[in-house]
Structures are given as structure tokens and as C-alpha cells.
Amino acid sequence: MPDGPSSPLTGIAASPGLGVGPAFVLLPPDLTFETRSGQDAAAERARLEAALAASRADIERIRERARASLGDEHAAIFDAHLLLLSDPELDAAITAGLNGGLNAEAALVGASDTFITMFESLDDPYLRERAADLRDVRNRVLAHLLGKPLTALADLREPAVIVAHDLAPSDTAQLDRSLVRGVVTAVGGRTSHSAIMARGLGLPAVVGVGEALHGISPGTVLLVDGDAGRVSVNPEAGEVAAAQVQMQRTAEERARLTALAGREGRTADGLRVELAANIGSPADLPLALEAGAEGVGLYRTEFLYLGRDTLPDEEEQYRAYRAVLEGMAGRPVVIRTLDVGGDKALPALNLPPEENPFLGFRAIRLCLARPDLFRVQLRALLRASVHGDLRVMFPMIATVQEFRAARALLDEERARLTAEGVPVAEHIQVGMMVEIPAAAVLSRQFAREADFFSIGSNDLIGYALAADRLNEQVANLYQPLNPAILALIGQTCAGAATQNRWVGVCGEMAGDPLALPLLVGLGVTELSMSAPALLPRREQVLKLDAGKARELAAHALTLDTAQEVEAAVRSAFPELAQREPGA
Amino acid sequence: MEQPSTEQPFIVTSEHGLHARPAAQLVQVATPFASAVELVADGKAVNLKSIMSVMGVGLSQGAAFSIRATGEDAQAALSALAARLEEQGLARRA
């Protein structure tokens, strides 16, 4: 790698922000070796023992690191790795190879691959994970035999940019956030584990950079731009200086806003507006809490189901829900039941492709048709309910019957658990997403059934204006501030008010500074958004005059176009003209 | 030299059966003991100190199996394993 700047790498912008530092390369070393026969068994045995001892020391170190940063549960995987290292059957198979004159590398790989192949051939996800563990352990021992010890994130001692093919959960378990300046991976998309983890930790990340990443040597200075999806290799001093000024500014702004994190969401004239976080897994909680989340307004449970071939069982789901409820320590947690289909396919269900998936078999429609699957989730939710303030939310409700049917299943599972002697919280709010225009229009009727509404603005806008924002030809029709959308939101709030139900917004509109005064003015009292938006929106709420917001909203409903609404918002709140950095 | 050997029959009580995942926990219980410890089912014995061999275990609810320990601390190993099986609702002594 030359020292001068080389052309930047481009990938997918997975987590915003800028970061600069030397590359810490986690790419696996070349582990090819030669198989030799007629070797001295005792000498090869000694080499193997040394490699095993070094591997054991590595794993113990990684385990202690994981235990310190993430707790015993995450460290347990490394106990399993240690058991594999000292397994008597594996040792017997290796010994047979050594006694047959093989070199230690060939004996190790031959013996472990027999087991790996056997586990992988069985139709049990647990065994397939163990095959991955065994491969991991085998590679570590092999690397020591070849004198190319594996780097591990636990070895990170200095600030750096992590460069990896992809990050596995066991990698991120070892990650010291305070030292990581950015993450760059060769594969993955916005919903890959690496991307979700980076957003959860607030680390700038670019993923899916491709094979070009394999040319990066350890220590090469990288500048990661997580907004542009760009990585500069050996950047010019001027570029680094400009990035540092920008990072400094972002940090100062952040420090100023962080001081507001503990303040209750309340407008200047005293209206309570709860500021909550959208999360995809318990791993997102620390950042949400740091940003002062007063609750979780949307926990997307589909991340438990996506990216795997099997369905999560009740116990796995229960643990995840419980972790979030306990993490929020009594603050409200809205957990949305499975929302797949449409753009989110579920490999385990093997559903046939549809002509028109957004108008098709998805979310609650799928769950009601597959009660076997739905009941598992409902039971896990009910069991978790005793650990905090759980609120259950059904997605994609179009008709009153659907809501009743979903609620009936929940009630049945509650009765079953109670009969089994399993404790369930006495009162659990059961609400629904308002994302289908029909639900907004019929909100008075729905308000008699549902305890709350949460407006999924992304889908509501898409369905109401019949425009896919990802389709460039029609994206201009995807208009959050269109008076028709505001009217649907206003109607939802008016219907809710007849039964004293609360209304939240959990789509991207909740984090949009221009939409905020309109939403509050229309009667929305909970805004749920991604963690990075929480602090700037809290500042905005604290300064907001709700009376003025109501006047603005009433006026906006009389306007003709989204452009007129935007102009009205900007004229009522001139300070919104500036975009805040890093939002 | 004759080693003390002891064997205890069990019946699987877990509705999910006794498969790889719960069986793997038994390895951690068995490993610290000096005795040889085996799980015997359908006339086949697997080494309960080997996570590799235990992986192949697949017993349904109601299936019979036994655990055999051979060595100085055979009785203690067997008690520890029986306690773990019962605590976890996996099996009961037959």
C-alpha cells in the first residue's frame, strides 16, 4: 500500500458520522498449509500442544473481555469454545492422525472437519451454530500452528477504524466502543448485523465496500464518512483537518444537547410530549437511553426473525423482550408484533412471491392466518410483561375485525398462561399502528377497541398518496407535509380523543423538525424516532409553544399543497430554517 | 484394577426431549470429575465429557437412558448429573 492518498472506497452508508484512524484489520490470514506424511508424531504432538495452549490463552482473554463489557451471558459462548479445545473425542481423532504420521495441521483439520461436516449435515440450527464455533476454534489453533495468530477485537488497545469482511455477534461482543472510530466491512447492507450494531453504538460505518477492502494493510489511515458511504484511504492532511473540525462541531453540539437528555418532554407552555426511541433489538438500548429516551415507542420484533432460516422460539423471544423491558426500567415499551412480508421476506416461512406485496399478505394478515406462529410471539410478550410497562401493538390493521381477532388471540394466550400458573401483568395496553388510511378514517370506531394508536407515517404517506418513495419517478409525490396526510393524522387524533386514547407517531415524520410542530398541534403526544434524532427534537419540544402549534396545524389543514404547508411552518418558526448538523 | 462403577437409569421428562443443546450442558457438569462418564441409550454409549459425541444425542420425551460413571468419584459425578437433569426438568430417575 503506497503512503500517498489512493482513490476512496465507496460502499453503503450504514451509520452516520465521520471517523478517522489507523486501520485495525480483522480479515482472516491465509490459513492454507501443506499436508505432510511420515512426520515424527511426538514432535508434531508438541507443536499441537503449544498451539492449543496459545489458543486457550486467547479465548480466556477474549472471554474475560466479553464478561467485563457485556456480562456473563455473552461470555458463555467462549466457555463452549474452551470445551471444544479440550474435547476428548476431537483429541482422539487428532491423535489418530498424528500417529499415522500426519503433520499437526493436517491432523487437526482432518479431525475437526469430520465433525464440522457431520454437524452441518444435520437439520438442527443449534448444531449448525456449533459447527461455526468449531470452525472458529479450529482456525485459531491452525493460525497458531502456522505462526499467524488471529487478530481479535479484544486486542484493540488504540483508537482505530475496524476493517473486516463482516462482523459477527461474537466479534462485536468484544468491541470497546471508546476505541472504535469507525467500521468498514466488505459485505453487508443497511440491515446486516454490522450496520445495526454500528448504528446502535453510534459509530460511523460504511458496509458493502467489496473486495477492494482486502487491499487495506493494518495501520493505513482511513477516514470513514458514514453519511456519504465513502472511505478515504491515506487522506490528505487538509481533508483530515476539515473532518476533524466537523467532528469537533458535532461533538460540541452533541454535548450541548446531551445536557437536555434528562429533561422531561414538555412544551414551553406545559403540554406533555413523550420522546421515545425506535429500536430493533436490545442492543439499541444504550444509545437510546443516553439520548434520554422516555420510552420505547416502537420495538421492531422482525429483527428477531430476519436473516435466519428458522423461527425464534418462545424462550428466545421472551429473553429479548424482557431485556428491553428491564433496560427501560419501568418506562413504557411499545412492542410491535411481527411485521414481515412486503419488503421484508422471511426465509423460514418460504412464502411465494406476490404480484403486489405492499397490498398483500403481510404483518397482521400473515399472523392471523398463521396463529401457530403468532401465538408463540404473544406468549413470549405476555410472559415478559411482568418485567416492565409493556404495550403490545399490532401492525397493518385495516379493519376492526382484524384488531378484534388479534386481541382475542392475545386474550386466549393470557388465559392459558394464567391457567398454567405463569405470571402475566394485570394491565397491558393493546394498541395498533395507524398506517392504512382506512384505520385513520375510522379512528372513532377503532378507539373503542384499541388502547392507543401509533401512526406509521412512512406507510401511511405511501398508501394515502399511492407513491413509493424509493421509485424515483414518483418519489416527489411522497409528501409528509401534504394537507391530506395532516388531515388523516388530525382525524386519528380526533377519534382517539373521544375515548381518551393517546396517539403517537413512530415513522420518520416523528424525527422531522418541520413536521414536529404540526404533529403536536394536531394532538400527537408521543414521538418515537431513531436515537440520534432524540436530542435535537427534545430541544425543539422544550422551546415549542403548543398553542402556536395548534394554530399552525389548523391553518395547515386549510392549505392546498405540501409546499404551502412547509412555507407556513417556516414562517411560523423561522429558527427551523437551519438544518442542525448530524441530524 | 477394578474401578468402582455405578449406573443410574433415567426417563426423559422434557416435552422437547433431550437433544444437543441441553445435552451439551451435561458436558460442563461431567468434565470436572475424574471418573469416565457415559450416557447409554439404545445399547450405545457416548462419552458425556465430549461435546462432540453428545451433539449426536437425540432422545424424545419418555425415552429411557442411563448414565454410567466409572472411577473414584463415580457416585459424586452421577449425583451432580442427576441433580442437573432434574433441576432443568430434562429427566427423572427411573
Side-chain angles (χ1 to χ4, degrees), chain A residues 84 87-89 119 126-127, chain B residues 21 49-53 55:
Chain A
L84 289 173
D87 192 275
E89 299 294 319
F119 292 163
Y126 178 75
L127 291 179
Chain B
R21 189 196 297 256
K49 292 178 161 187
S50 165
I51 201 160
M52 297 295 171
S53 17
M55 286 298 168

Side-chain angles (χ1 to χ4, degrees), chain A residues 433-491:
Chain A
M433 295 279 290
V434 173
E435 54 199 325
I436 297 178
V441 171
L442 223 58
S443 64
R444 284 174 78 95
Q445 284 88 325
F446 277 109
R448 292 198 288 262
E449 315 270 337
D451 297 322
F452 65 90
F453 296 142
S454 186
I455 296 172
S457 57
N458 302 7
D459 279 343
L460 183 67
I461 298 163
Y463 288 131
L465 291 160
D468 176 0
R469 65 182 167 155
L470 300 178
N471 180 342
E472 284 175 28
Q473 314 280 353
V474 298
N476 63 322
L477 289 172
Y478 181 91
Q479 299 172 342
L481 301 184
N482 188 294
I485 303 302
L486 303 181
L488 287 168
I489 294 171
Q491 205 167 351

